[in-house]
């Protein structure tokens, strides 16, 4: 085993255990993780697009916005966090337009800010939030894994050759099927049911996950970056690891805003009571 592969495995295991521990703990612990992910993603995104050099004022506005968003996430004020993201993105966009340097700083605020907010709100509090987070992660992991291996094994037409030459339609289709299967499996395992909505939601999250992967690849290719950063030993940057997860989280957050999930939340609370013998 090469030293690089050993480092990749060790760092991956450590990070995986830490993330799973914070997902299980929920509450302030997971809100802190979501905030950290948001700040690191904003740093990586603005570094890739050279925002500090090209649009220093817009970049400063963006940092103020994500820092404020982090405070509101940590204090469980999602409406204020959403307002901070919107105001910060608008301010960065206005500044960038005045300087004629593009809108990448505003995009960084939206991308990172919504990532942190969506992750924090999906996990939320209680057992239902834990189930929801596991549901999303299972779909994303299954989609990514099967898309990679089936794409390499089967080959075929490219999904988006100008953005990510390695991705194929066969990988995307099998990845989506795996994501749906994983979503149904989690729903059955935690006795949440959901009927015909579960495979549809799982398919939407799987598609969002693959779209997130393509979006990050497009940004990196647009600016000639191989990795989003070198913050994670052997793995590149935070964006490289969570690009699919955050887009799936966006989708789950939006779906959860329009679907009636109160019955499932009550069922999760009842299941928790049975498991704990209350």
């Amino acid at each position: 085993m090469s030293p690089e592969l050993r480092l990749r495995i060790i760092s991956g295991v450590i990070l995986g255990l830490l993330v799973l521990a914070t997902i299980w703990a929920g509450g302030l612990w997971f809100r802190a993780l979501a905030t950290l992910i948001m700040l690191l993603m904003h740093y990586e995104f603005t570094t890739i697009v050279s925002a500090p050099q090209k649009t220093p004022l817009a970049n400063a506005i963006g940092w103020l916005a994500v820092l404020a968003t982090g405070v509101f996430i940590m204090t469980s004020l999602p409406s204020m966090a959403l307002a901070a993201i919107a105001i910060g993105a608008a301010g960065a966009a206005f500044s960038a337009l005045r300087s004629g340097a593009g809108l990448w700083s505003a995009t960084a605020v939206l991308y990172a800010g919504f990532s942190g907010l969506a992750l924090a709100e999906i996990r939320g509090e209680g057992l239902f939030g834990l189930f929801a987070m596991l549901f999303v992660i299972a779909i994303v992991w299954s989609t990514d894994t099967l898309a990679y291996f089936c794409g390499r094994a089967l080959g075929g037409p490219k999904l988006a050759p100008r953005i990510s030459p390695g991705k194929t339609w066969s990988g995307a289709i099998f990845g989506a099927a795996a994501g749906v299967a994983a979503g149904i499996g989690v729903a059955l395992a935690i006795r949440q049911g959901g009927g015909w909505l579960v495979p549809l939601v799982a398919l939407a999250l799987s598609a969002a996950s693959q779209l997130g992967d393509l979006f990050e690849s497009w940004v990196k290719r647009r600016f000639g970056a191989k990795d989003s950063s070198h913050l994670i030993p052997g793995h590149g940057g935070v964006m490289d690891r969570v690009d699919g997860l955050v887009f799936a989280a966006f989708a789950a957050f939006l779906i959860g805003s329009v679907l009636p999930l109160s019955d499932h939340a009550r069922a999760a609370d009842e299941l928790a009571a049975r498991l704990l013998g209350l």
Side-chain angles (χ1 to χ4, degrees), residues 62-250:
W63 271 111
L64 287 174
V66 295
L67 288 172
T69 301
V71 171
F72 294 133
I73 289 174
M74 292 292 292
T75 52
S76 297
L77 295 171
S79 297
M80 296 298 292
L82 191 61
I85 294 168
I87 293 171
F94 179 72
S95 174
L97 284 174
R98 288 192 62 186
S99 66
L103 299 174
W104 289 106
S105 292
T107 305
V109 174
L110 294 173
Y111 183 58
F114 279 128
S115 295
L117 179 58
L119 288 171
E121 287 302 295
I122 290 171
R123 176 57 183 92
E125 304 286 346
L127 197 59
F128 181 66
L130 173 62
F131 289 167
M133 199 71 240
L134 292 177
F135 180 76
V136 174
I137 288 178
I139 291 170
V140 173
W141 182 82
S142 300
T143 297
D144 186 59
T145 302
L146 264 292
Y148 175 78
F149 285 109
C150 290
R152 287 177 63 90
L154 300 176
K158 302 297 183 181
L159 179 63
R162 293 186 179 182
I163 298 175
S164 184
K167 292 180 174 57
T168 62
W169 277 103
S170 61
I173 292 170
F174 276 91
V180 171
I184 294 173
V186 170
L188 292 174
I190 62 180
R191 306 174 192 174
Q192 287 299 289
W196 58 270
L197 273 179
V198 169
L200 291 182
V201 171
L203 180 60
L205 299 191
S206 179
S209 172
Q210 298 192 54
L211 183 61
D213 195 347
L214 288 174
F215 174 75
E216 198 226 1
S217 296
W218 173 71
V219 172
K220 290 193 298 184
R221 182 170 290 272
R222 168 72 171 73
F223 290 92
K226 183 179 183 294
D227 297 313
S228 59
S229 74
H230 300 287
L231 292 175
I232 305 176
H235 287 270
V238 174
M239 283 173 55
D240 295 323
R241 301 278 67 80
V242 302
D243 50 3
L245 174 62
V246 295
F247 262 57
F250 297 161

Side-chain angles (χ1 to χ4, degrees), residues 29-67:
W29 289 101
F30 191 80
R31 291 199 299 273
L33 176 64
T35 299
L36 178 61
I37 289 173
M38 176 189 67
L39 295 174
L40 293 176
M41 287 180 65
H42 187 262
Y43 162 74
E44 291 179 345
F45 198 106
T46 53
T47 300
I48 290 173
V49 303
S50 301
Q53 295 78 31
K54 294 179 179 178
T55 55
L57 178 57
N59 185 60
I61 293 172
W63 271 111
L64 287 174
V66 295
L67 288 172

